[in-house]
Amino acid sequence: MAPGKLILASTSPRRSDLLTEAGIPFEVRPAYIEELSDPELSARELCLVNAESKALEVATRFPAHVVLGADTVVALDNRTFGKPRDLEEARTMLE
């Protein structure tokens, strides 16, 4: 990998699609972290903390590269929803 290359610290197909559509060359390297879930944090704060944690973890493995960390948090009425365990839980959340 050439120094300075962009690394996406996410396995999200949509994030990869966005970078590809923008014509930005990148490589995907997943972050090996436990995502934080803290009811004391706002959805925005939680998203920022998790995105930064992902980027920092990947950056320690690829220090000569630019690392983009991202996270998505779903919230409604100050309630933050985690990732559903399965399709049934996803349906329940959406209802």
Side-chain angles (χ1 to χ4, degrees), residues 9 31 33 49-62 67 69:
I33 65 157
V49 166
N50 283 328
E52 182 179 37
S53 295
K54 291 174 186 180
L56 290 173
E57 192 281 324
V58 172
T60 61
R61 292 185 280 136
F62 301 94
V67 178

Side-chain angles (χ1 to χ4, degrees), residues 3 16 19 26 55 60 62 73 76 90:
S16 290
L19 290 173
F26 67 98
T60 61
F62 301 94
V73 173
L76 177 65

Side-chain angles (χ1 to χ4, degrees), residues 19-83:
L19 290 173
T20 300
E21 289 172 16
I24 300 171
F26 67 98
E27 290 190 19
V28 172
R29 297 287 185 243
Y32 302 113
I33 65 157
E34 183 75 27
E35 289 188 17
L36 182 64
S37 178
D38 185 341
E40 298 297 316
L41 296 176
S42 70
R44 181 180 186 279
E45 291 168 326
L46 187 59
C47 192
L48 289 171
V49 166
N50 283 328
E52 182 179 37
S53 295
K54 291 174 186 180
L56 290 173
E57 192 281 324
V58 172
T60 61
R61 292 185 280 136
F62 301 94
H65 304 281
V66 176
V67 178
L68 173 62
D71 193 49
T72 301
V73 173
V74 177
L76 177 65
D77 297 330
N78 294 322
R79 179 176 173 207
T80 301
F81 295 85
K83 290 182 178 151

